[in-house]
């Protein structure tokens, strides 16, 4: 019989202390302790929570945004590094499995930033470093894409856990790669997107994508989305009334927990800061899979085949000359 735990999950919806990695990590630690105090065994934070999202890519031209890229680079974190060590210790001390988004500096180039999700076990072990495969739209001005080596499901105290960042949750093949490894708990980290086109509702888009993955995979998803604080609006928009109005757009963030039927478990949180809690019982995943198990009987692997290159990619490969 597989291990099918019951536990409390926490989805954190909050704004970072913008472009201040140390202060944002301190805020994250306080929220981890708060969630653990309410009985949470899994705590999920937003995409690039440390130290924030590059909204200037959407509100400025590339030349105007370039100094902001440097500012984000200088404020980003190293993996491993002191901020990661603090987060690992917080997970160990509180006994929670932790998923949190960071801006990660590349090890080999000053021009490389990764949109990275850290997956940390309840013993403080760094289980996974997932780098967003494809930055979305204007994000390509900031982040370098990751590789397939981090598309992994981790065996944790709360069950088989996978994680994707924001638009990756729209990537059917990435999601299938996690499902095919037995994923039963999915962490989906997002950012508030008030700068989207006028006919795009970010909160609704998050709910649709989450429901799709839960219903297709018959699993639970914990969705954590950031918010935009007044301090962030002041910093990015300054006195520009149009940008201030844009960044204050409502219905730009949604966090919550969704079940294997695609429905929310409890009430999601929209726009406001807070923590959403819900009880997850992985035993609820069994019966729905009898109807649609797309990684089992409800597929035709003689017809369809997915190949994933999970080799880590490096800028250069040296072949030593044989003696």
């Amino acid at each position: 019989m597989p291990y099918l735990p019951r536990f409390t999950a926490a989805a954190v919806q909050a704004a970072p202390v913008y472009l201040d990695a140390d202060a944002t990590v301190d805020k994250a630690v306080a929220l981890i302790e708060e969630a653990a105090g309410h009985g949470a065994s899994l705590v999920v934070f937003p995409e690039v929570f440390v130290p924030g999202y590059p909204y200037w890519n959407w509100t400025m031209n590339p030349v105007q945004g370039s100094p902001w890229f440097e500012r984000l680079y200088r404020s980003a974190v190293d993996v491993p590094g002191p901020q990661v060590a603090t987060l690992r210790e917080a997970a160990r001390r509180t006994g929670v499995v932790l998923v949190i988004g960071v801006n990660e500096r590349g090890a080999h180039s000053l021009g490389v930033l990764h949109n990275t999700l850290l997956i940390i076990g309840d013993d403080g072990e760094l289980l996974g470093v997932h780098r967003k495969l494809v930055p979305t739209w204007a994000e390509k001005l900031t982040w370098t894409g990751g590789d397939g080596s981090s598309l992994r499901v981790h065996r944790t105290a709360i069950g088989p856990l996978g994680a994707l960042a924001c638009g990756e949750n729209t990537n059917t093949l990435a999601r299938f790669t996690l499902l095919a490894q037995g994923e039963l708990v999915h962490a989906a980290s997002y950012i508030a997107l008030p700068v989207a086109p006028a006919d795009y509702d970010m909160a609704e888009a998050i709910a649709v994508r989450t429901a799709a993955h839960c219903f297709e995979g018959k699993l639970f998803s914990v969705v954590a989305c950031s918010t935009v604080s007044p301090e962030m609006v002041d910093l990015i928009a300054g006195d520009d009334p149009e940008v201030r109005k844009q960044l204050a757009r409502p219905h730009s963030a949604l966090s919550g927990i969704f079940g294997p039927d695609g429905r929310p478990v409890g009430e999601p949180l929209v726009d406001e800061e807070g923590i959403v809690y819900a009880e997850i019982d992985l035993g609820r995943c069994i019966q729905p899979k009898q109807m649609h198990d797309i990684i089992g009987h409800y597929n035709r692997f003689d017809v369809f085949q997915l190949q994933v290159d999970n080799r880590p990619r490096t800028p250069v490969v040296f072949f030593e000359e044989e003696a």
Side-chain angles (χ1 to χ4, degrees):
M1 176 68 183
Y3 177 51
L4 298 172
R6 300 178 65 170
F7 62 94
T8 300
V12 175
Q13 184 157 286
V17 183
Y18 202 53
L19 300 182
D20 187 331
D22 289 334
T24 302
V25 167
D26 289 343
K27 180 174 182 175
V29 169
L31 290 165
I32 292 166
E33 292 172 345
E34 178 182 344
H38 284 81
S41 299
L42 169 65
V43 183
V44 179
F45 277 83
E47 178 185 25
V48 290
F49 186 68
V50 185
Y53 181 83
Y55 286 104
W56 54 86
N57 287 346
W58 304 85
T59 64
M60 304 177 188
N61 67 47
V63 174
Q64 293 169 325
S66 188
W68 288 86
F69 173 86
E70 180 176 344
R71 188 168 178 178
L72 178 62
Y73 183 89
R74 291 179 179 274
S75 306
V77 306
D78 298 314
V79 181
Q83 291 91 359
V84 177
T86 298
L87 293 167
R88 292 178 61 186
E89 172 57 23
R92 187 203 63 78
R93 186 176 66 252
T94 57
V96 305
V97 176
L98 174 64
V99 179
I100 185 167
V102 302
N103 285 274
E104 177 196 0
R105 280 190 289 256
H108 62 276
S109 172
L110 296 178
V112 171
L113 277 176
H114 288 292
N115 178 329
T116 297
L117 291 177
L118 304 177
I119 300 94
I120 300 171
D122 61 347
D123 59 355
E125 181 183 354
L126 183 59
L127 300 176
V129 179
H130 173 62
R131 295 168 179 140
K132 190 173 184 178
L133 294 173
V134 181
T136 304
W137 207 352
E139 294 173 358
K140 293 178 175 66
L141 291 167
T142 294
W143 293 312
T144 298
D147 58 42
S149 64
S150 63
L151 279 177
R152 295 175 50 212
V153 169
H154 306 278
R155 308 297 157 176
T156 73
I158 53 89
L161 171 68
L164 293 174
C166 202
E168 290 187 306
N169 292 284
T170 312
N171 188 322
T172 304
L173 300 184
R175 295 190 297 106
F176 187 87
T177 300
L178 297 181
L179 293 175
Q181 297 174 67
E183 183 186 46
L184 290 178
V185 183
H186 182 73
S189 296
Y190 286 87
I191 49 91
L193 195 62
V195 290
D199 60 350
Y200 189 88
D201 186 303
M202 184 60 170
E204 287 185 0
I206 292 172
V208 167
R209 284 184 277 206
T210 306
H213 190 57
C214 287
F215 190 83
E216 289 174 2
K218 313 305 182 193
L219 48 60
F220 286 87
S221 284
V222 182
V223 182
C225 187
S226 61
T227 61
V228 179
S229 67
E231 292 78 12
M232 291 168 62
V233 174
D234 289 341
L235 187 62
I236 298 166
D239 296 326
D240 188 323
E242 288 301 315
V243 176
R244 296 186 70 87
K245 180 181 177 181
Q246 194 176 24
L247 291 172
R249 177 180 170 183
H251 230 237
S252 296
L254 180 145
S255 298
I257 292 96
F258 290 68
D261 57 3
R263 297 188 179 98
V265 182
E267 190 68 25
L269 182 64
V270 176
D271 289 341
E272 302 299 324
E273 284 210 8
I275 303 178
V276 181
Y277 299 95
E279 297 302 310
I280 288 179
D281 177 3
L282 293 187
R284 284 185 54 201
C285 300
I286 298 174
Q287 289 190 35
K289 280 183 174 288
Q290 186 181 20
M291 181 180 294
H292 300 124
D293 184 5
I294 62 171
I295 59 170
H297 63 79
Y298 205 70
N299 214 322
R300 286 289 304 275
F301 296 111
D302 57 331
V303 178
F304 306 113
Q305 186 179 69
L306 173 61
Q307 295 182 340
V308 179
D309 186 346
N310 63 357
R311 293 172 294 180
R313 296 296 180 179
T314 58
V316 62
V317 178
F318 291 101
F319 294 93
E320 294 187 9
E321 183 180 359
E322 293 185 9

PDB file of all heavy atoms in Angstrom, residues 258-273:
ATOM      1  N   PHE A 258      -6.647  23.143  -4.338  1.00  0.00           N
ATOM      2  CA  PHE A 258      -7.638  22.523  -5.207  1.00  0.00           C
ATOM      3  C   PHE A 258      -7.497  21.007  -5.116  1.00  0.00           C
ATOM      4  O   PHE A 258      -6.389  20.479  -4.965  1.00  0.00           O
ATOM      5  CB  PHE A 258      -7.442  22.971  -6.653  1.00  0.00           C
ATOM      6  CG  PHE A 258      -7.791  24.416  -6.917  1.00  0.00           C
ATOM      7  CD1 PHE A 258      -7.023  25.441  -6.383  1.00  0.00           C
ATOM      8  CD2 PHE A 258      -8.889  24.749  -7.696  1.00  0.00           C
ATOM      9  CE1 PHE A 258      -7.341  26.772  -6.621  1.00  0.00           C
ATOM     10  CE2 PHE A 258      -9.215  26.074  -7.949  1.00  0.00           C
ATOM     11  CZ  PHE A 258      -8.445  27.087  -7.404  1.00  0.00           C
ATOM     12  N   GLY A 259      -8.640  20.304  -5.242  1.00  0.00           N
ATOM     13  CA  GLY A 259      -8.652  18.862  -5.087  1.00  0.00           C
ATOM     14  C   GLY A 259      -8.694  18.108  -6.396  1.00  0.00           C
ATOM     15  O   GLY A 259      -8.730  18.702  -7.485  1.00  0.00           O
ATOM     16  N   PRO A 260      -8.700  16.767  -6.340  1.00  0.00           N
ATOM     17  CA  PRO A 260      -8.623  15.942  -7.555  1.00  0.00           C
ATOM     18  C   PRO A 260      -9.851  16.020  -8.452  1.00  0.00           C
ATOM     19  O   PRO A 260      -9.821  15.488  -9.568  1.00  0.00           O
ATOM     20  CB  PRO A 260      -8.426  14.522  -7.009  1.00  0.00           C
ATOM     21  CG  PRO A 260      -8.863  14.573  -5.590  1.00  0.00           C
ATOM     22  CD  PRO A 260      -8.620  15.957  -5.110  1.00  0.00           C
ATOM     23  N   ASP A 261     -10.905  16.690  -8.002  1.00  0.00           N
ATOM     24  CA  ASP A 261     -12.054  16.930  -8.873  1.00  0.00           C
ATOM     25  C   ASP A 261     -11.960  18.278  -9.567  1.00  0.00           C
ATOM     26  O   ASP A 261     -12.867  18.675 -10.307  1.00  0.00           O
ATOM     27  CB  ASP A 261     -13.356  16.839  -8.077  1.00  0.00           C
ATOM     28  CG  ASP A 261     -13.404  17.791  -6.892  1.00  0.00           C
ATOM     29  OD1 ASP A 261     -12.444  18.584  -6.702  1.00  0.00           O
ATOM     30  OD2 ASP A 261     -14.395  17.739  -6.137  1.00  0.00           O
ATOM     31  N   GLY A 262     -10.864  19.007  -9.335  1.00  0.00           N
ATOM     32  CA  GLY A 262     -10.659  20.318  -9.949  1.00  0.00           C
ATOM     33  C   GLY A 262     -11.283  21.463  -9.183  1.00  0.00           C
ATOM     34  O   GLY A 262     -11.110  22.619  -9.563  1.00  0.00           O
ATOM     35  N   ARG A 263     -11.984  21.159  -8.106  1.00  0.00           N
ATOM     36  CA  ARG A 263     -12.660  22.215  -7.328  1.00  0.00           C
ATOM     37  C   ARG A 263     -11.781  22.691  -6.180  1.00  0.00           C
ATOM     38  O   ARG A 263     -10.971  21.929  -5.644  1.00  0.00           O
ATOM     39  CB  ARG A 263     -13.984  21.695  -6.786  1.00  0.00           C
ATOM     40  CG  ARG A 263     -15.000  21.302  -7.847  1.00  0.00           C
ATOM     41  CD  ARG A 263     -16.344  20.992  -7.204  1.00  0.00           C
ATOM     42  NE  ARG A 263     -17.353  20.628  -8.196  1.00  0.00           N
ATOM     43  CZ  ARG A 263     -17.683  19.382  -8.504  1.00  0.00           C
ATOM     44  NH1 ARG A 263     -17.083  18.376  -7.892  1.00  0.00           N
ATOM     45  NH2 ARG A 263     -18.609  19.133  -9.413  1.00  0.00           N
ATOM     46  N   PRO A 264     -11.948  23.954  -5.759  1.00  0.00           N
ATOM     47  CA  PRO A 264     -11.199  24.440  -4.600  1.00  0.00           C
ATOM     48  C   PRO A 264     -11.594  23.686  -3.336  1.00  0.00           C
ATOM     49  O   PRO A 264     -12.751  23.304  -3.148  1.00  0.00           O
ATOM     50  CB  PRO A 264     -11.608  25.917  -4.489  1.00  0.00           C
ATOM     51  CG  PRO A 264     -12.202  26.263  -5.811  1.00  0.00           C
ATOM     52  CD  PRO A 264     -12.800  25.008  -6.353  1.00  0.00           C
ATOM     53  N   VAL A 265     -10.602  23.453  -2.477  1.00  0.00           N
ATOM     54  CA  VAL A 265     -10.858  22.915  -1.139  1.00  0.00           C
ATOM     55  C   VAL A 265     -10.882  24.123  -0.208  1.00  0.00           C
ATOM     56  O   VAL A 265      -9.849  24.648   0.189  1.00  0.00           O
ATOM     57  CB  VAL A 265      -9.760  21.920  -0.716  1.00  0.00           C
ATOM     58  CG1 VAL A 265     -10.081  21.339   0.659  1.00  0.00           C
ATOM     59  CG2 VAL A 265      -9.611  20.807  -1.741  1.00  0.00           C
ATOM     60  N   GLY A 266     -12.063  24.591   0.124  1.00  0.00           N
ATOM     61  CA  GLY A 266     -12.191  25.846   0.841  1.00  0.00           C
ATOM     62  C   GLY A 266     -12.216  27.018  -0.130  1.00  0.00           C
ATOM     63  O   GLY A 266     -12.244  26.849  -1.346  1.00  0.00           O
ATOM     64  N   GLU A 267     -12.183  28.211   0.403  1.00  0.00           N
ATOM     65  CA  GLU A 267     -12.329  29.426  -0.405  1.00  0.00           C
ATOM     66  C   GLU A 267     -10.965  29.986  -0.773  1.00  0.00           C
ATOM     67  O   GLU A 267     -10.134  30.285   0.092  1.00  0.00           O
ATOM     68  CB  GLU A 267     -13.104  30.481   0.389  1.00  0.00           C
ATOM     69  CG  GLU A 267     -13.516  31.692  -0.432  1.00  0.00           C
ATOM     70  CD  GLU A 267     -14.577  31.363  -1.482  1.00  0.00           C
ATOM     71  OE1 GLU A 267     -15.323  30.391  -1.291  1.00  0.00           O
ATOM     72  OE2 GLU A 267     -14.631  32.098  -2.488  1.00  0.00           O
ATOM     73  N   PRO A 268     -10.681  30.157  -2.073  1.00  0.00           N
ATOM     74  CA  PRO A 268      -9.412  30.797  -2.459  1.00  0.00           C
ATOM     75  C   PRO A 268      -9.379  32.255  -1.997  1.00  0.00           C
ATOM     76  O   PRO A 268     -10.409  32.882  -1.735  1.00  0.00           O
ATOM     77  CB  PRO A 268      -9.425  30.699  -3.989  1.00  0.00           C
ATOM     78  CG  PRO A 268     -10.388  29.607  -4.309  1.00  0.00           C
ATOM     79  CD  PRO A 268     -11.435  29.679  -3.242  1.00  0.00           C
ATOM     80  N   LEU A 269      -8.167  32.781  -1.923  1.00  0.00           N
ATOM     81  CA  LEU A 269      -7.939  34.170  -1.544  1.00  0.00           C
ATOM     82  C   LEU A 269      -7.597  34.964  -2.793  1.00  0.00           C
ATOM     83  O   LEU A 269      -6.708  34.567  -3.560  1.00  0.00           O
ATOM     84  CB  LEU A 269      -6.803  34.242  -0.523  1.00  0.00           C
ATOM     85  CG  LEU A 269      -6.427  35.619   0.035  1.00  0.00           C
ATOM     86  CD1 LEU A 269      -7.575  36.209   0.834  1.00  0.00           C
ATOM     87  CD2 LEU A 269      -5.172  35.502   0.906  1.00  0.00           C
ATOM     88  N   VAL A 270      -8.290  36.081  -3.013  1.00  0.00           N
ATOM     89  CA  VAL A 270      -8.071  36.908  -4.195  1.00  0.00           C
ATOM     90  C   VAL A 270      -7.527  38.273  -3.761  1.00  0.00           C
ATOM     91  O   VAL A 270      -8.138  38.949  -2.932  1.00  0.00           O
ATOM     92  CB  VAL A 270      -9.375  37.080  -5.012  1.00  0.00           C
ATOM     93  CG1 VAL A 270      -9.151  38.027  -6.187  1.00  0.00           C
ATOM     94  CG2 VAL A 270      -9.869  35.724  -5.506  1.00  0.00           C
ATOM     95  N   ASP A 271      -6.370  38.617  -4.302  1.00  0.00           N
ATOM     96  CA  ASP A 271      -5.737  39.934  -4.191  1.00  0.00           C
ATOM     97  C   ASP A 271      -5.146  40.258  -2.815  1.00  0.00           C
ATOM     98  O   ASP A 271      -4.065  40.844  -2.735  1.00  0.00           O
ATOM     99  CB  ASP A 271      -6.703  41.055  -4.591  1.00  0.00           C
ATOM    100  CG  ASP A 271      -6.982  41.069  -6.087  1.00  0.00           C
ATOM    101  OD1 ASP A 271      -6.186  40.482  -6.844  1.00  0.00           O
ATOM    102  OD2 ASP A 271      -8.009  41.638  -6.500  1.00  0.00           O
ATOM    103  N   GLU A 272      -5.809  39.918  -1.727  1.00  0.00           N
ATOM    104  CA  GLU A 272      -5.359  40.329  -0.403  1.00  0.00           C
ATOM    105  C   GLU A 272      -4.235  39.430   0.117  1.00  0.00           C
ATOM    106  O   GLU A 272      -4.135  38.259  -0.245  1.00  0.00           O
ATOM    107  CB  GLU A 272      -6.524  40.303   0.592  1.00  0.00           C
ATOM    108  CG  GLU A 272      -7.702  41.173   0.211  1.00  0.00           C
ATOM    109  CD  GLU A 272      -7.335  42.637   0.110  1.00  0.00           C
ATOM    110  OE1 GLU A 272      -6.502  43.090   0.917  1.00  0.00           O
ATOM    111  OE2 GLU A 272      -7.859  43.332  -0.782  1.00  0.00           O
ATOM    112  N   GLU A 273      -3.388  40.008   0.997  1.00  0.00           N
ATOM    113  CA  GLU A 273      -2.371  39.193   1.650  1.00  0.00           C
ATOM    114  C   GLU A 273      -3.028  38.261   2.666  1.00  0.00           C
ATOM    115  O   GLU A 273      -4.017  38.611   3.299  1.00  0.00           O
ATOM    116  CB  GLU A 273      -1.331  40.071   2.352  1.00  0.00           C
ATOM    117  CG  GLU A 273      -0.342  40.725   1.422  1.00  0.00           C
ATOM    118  CD  GLU A 273       1.029  40.953   2.071  1.00  0.00           C
ATOM    119  OE1 GLU A 273       1.254  40.461   3.204  1.00  0.00           O
ATOM    120  OE2 GLU A 273       1.880  41.596   1.441  1.00  0.00           O
TER     121      GLU A 273
END
